[in-house]
Amino acid sequence: MGALTVWRKQAGSFSPEVVQLLQTFATQSALAIQNARLFREIEEKGRQLELASKYKSQFLASMSHELRTPMNSVLGYTRMLLMNVYGELPEKVQDVHQRIDKGGRHLLGLINDVLDFSKIEAGQLTLAINPFSMMDVIQSVVASTQPLATEKNLSLKVTMPADLPAALGDERRIIQVLINLVGNAIKFTDAGAIQIEAAAVNNELVVSVSDTGLGISEADLESIFEEFRQAEGAIAQRKGGTGLGLAIAKRIVELHGGKIWVESEVGKGSTFSFTLPERSSPPS
């Protein structure tokens, strides 16, 4: 509640026009005061949400780290048992331990995704920027993912020039991005091939991963890089995952000053591409 009071020096009443003007001014003043109050409330809510988001990211980062440590121990002992360090195991027991190892590594991958995303959200993910060979990175990723492709009878092909320039960035994080893209391509492809291509274009390195898999609907293309989002559909949902892999890949690429995008058609496969700064001379 408020009041607007106006005096005049001379006797007599205000003209109707002046009264109307003052009423309009009073109304607009009340709206301005109310808007200012709402704006302050929104600012305060924004600060509270920002603080809550910060605490959430810190909590997830802490919990992910605490979960990863014992999981690494479990996997370490499981690997030692499979290597017969404590004596030879019966065949049935080995099979069970292999399943434990596979499930544990899958769980560790999910934990690592949450940890990385939490670090990104909290602004704690730092990059070690150095020149590196993209050819070596691609060959390393192929060596890591080839068994997965072979298991599904998929061919894994690589196309890149012999004089591909060096890239500038965090080699370990770029390997993480490429493994995510190739791993997704294998996961969502039941027949055909996975193609990795790299080329230098306008002082940038462009790396693409193509598949002949399920494809992504046009409706999902806009949100595929958002956190905790996965393509719709029963088949896609059965493939599992946290829905963080592509979001993490996007953030990592953008931290390098690059961009990432996808082209896809349902039933005809997808092509994920990203760019990185190029370094004119190869690393020593």
Side-chain angles (χ1 to χ4, degrees):
M1 300 295 293
L4 174 64
T5 306
V6 181
W7 291 271
R8 57 180 297 167
K9 294 180 179 180
Q10 299 177 353
S13 61
F14 289 103
S15 66
E17 292 79 7
V18 173
V19 173
Q20 184 178 4
L21 176 63
L22 291 173
Q23 288 175 337
T24 302
F25 178 73
T27 301
Q28 295 300 321
S29 298
L31 288 173
I33 292 170
Q34 180 65 8
N35 287 339
R37 183 182 296 115
L38 290 173
F39 182 73
R40 286 195 298 271
E41 290 179 0
I42 291 172
E43 274 192 324
E44 180 60 27
K45 293 296 182 183
R47 283 193 291 269
Q48 292 175 3
L49 288 172
E50 184 179 355
L51 187 62
S53 178
K54 178 182 178 181
Y55 287 151
K56 178 210 70 175
S57 298
Q58 291 175 347
F59 171 76
L60 287 175
S62 176
M63 286 305 299
S64 299
H65 178 74
E66 293 300 322
L67 288 170
R68 188 168 61 172
T69 301
M71 181 55 64
N72 277 321
S73 297
V74 171
L75 290 174
Y77 282 117
T78 303
R79 179 57 56 184
M80 292 171 69
L81 288 169
L82 289 172
M83 294 172 63
N84 296 323
V85 173
Y86 300 108
E88 189 171 352
L89 299 174
E91 185 176 343
K92 289 184 178 180
V93 177
Q94 283 188 351
D95 181 62
V96 171
H97 279 80
Q98 286 173 352
R99 293 182 183 183
I100 293 173
D101 183 69
K102 184 177 180 179
R105 293 188 182 281
H106 176 67
L107 178 57
L108 183 60
L110 300 181
I111 292 171
N112 285 335
D113 281 350
V114 174
L115 179 59
D116 284 339
F117 186 75
S118 299
K119 285 183 178 180
I120 292 172
E121 288 286 281
Q124 298 174 355
L125 185 70
T126 56
L127 301 178
I129 303 296
N130 290 293
F132 66 91
S133 168
M134 181 58 73
M135 297 180 67
D136 290 346
V137 165
I138 292 176
Q139 290 170 357
S140 173
V141 170
V142 169
S144 298
T145 56
Q146 184 66 65
L148 298 176
T150 302
E151 188 177 338
K152 297 184 69 174
N153 294 319
L154 301 173
S155 61
L156 187 55
K157 304 176 182 178
V158 177
T159 301
M160 57 182 172
D163 58 347
L164 186 68
L168 192 63
D170 188 323
E171 181 176 358
R172 184 173 68 88
R173 291 298 179 182
I174 297 305
I175 289 176
Q176 180 181 356
V177 170
L178 199 52
I179 283 181
N180 181 278
L181 297 182
V182 175
N184 278 351
I186 295 172
K187 181 192 297 184
F188 292 103
T189 302
D190 294 324
I194 311 299
Q195 178 82 29
I196 304 174
E197 297 184 55
V201 181
N202 297 328
N203 297 321
E204 288 184 322
L205 291 183
V206 181
V207 182
S208 299
V209 177
S210 304
D211 63 62
T212 56
L214 298 173
I216 305 168
S217 68
E218 187 174 350
D220 287 327
L221 286 176
E222 297 181 1
S223 60
I224 196 70
F225 290 105
E226 294 178 7
E227 57 268 21
F228 304 110
R229 293 295 296 269
Q230 292 176 302
E232 298 294 335
I235 298 177
Q237 296 299 319
R238 285 202 305 269
K239 300 295 183 178
T242 59
L244 287 175
L246 290 177
I248 293 171
K250 181 176 184 291
R251 300 290 186 93
I252 291 175
V253 169
E254 289 176 345
L255 285 173
H256 281 81
K259 61 180 181 179
I260 186 169
W261 68 95
V262 59
E263 299 169 322
S264 184
E265 186 175 348
V266 175
K268 295 186 178 180
S270 307
T271 298
F272 284 83
S273 305
F274 65 92
T275 62
L276 285 176
E278 171 192 322
R279 187 197 178 196
S280 57
S281 57
S284 56

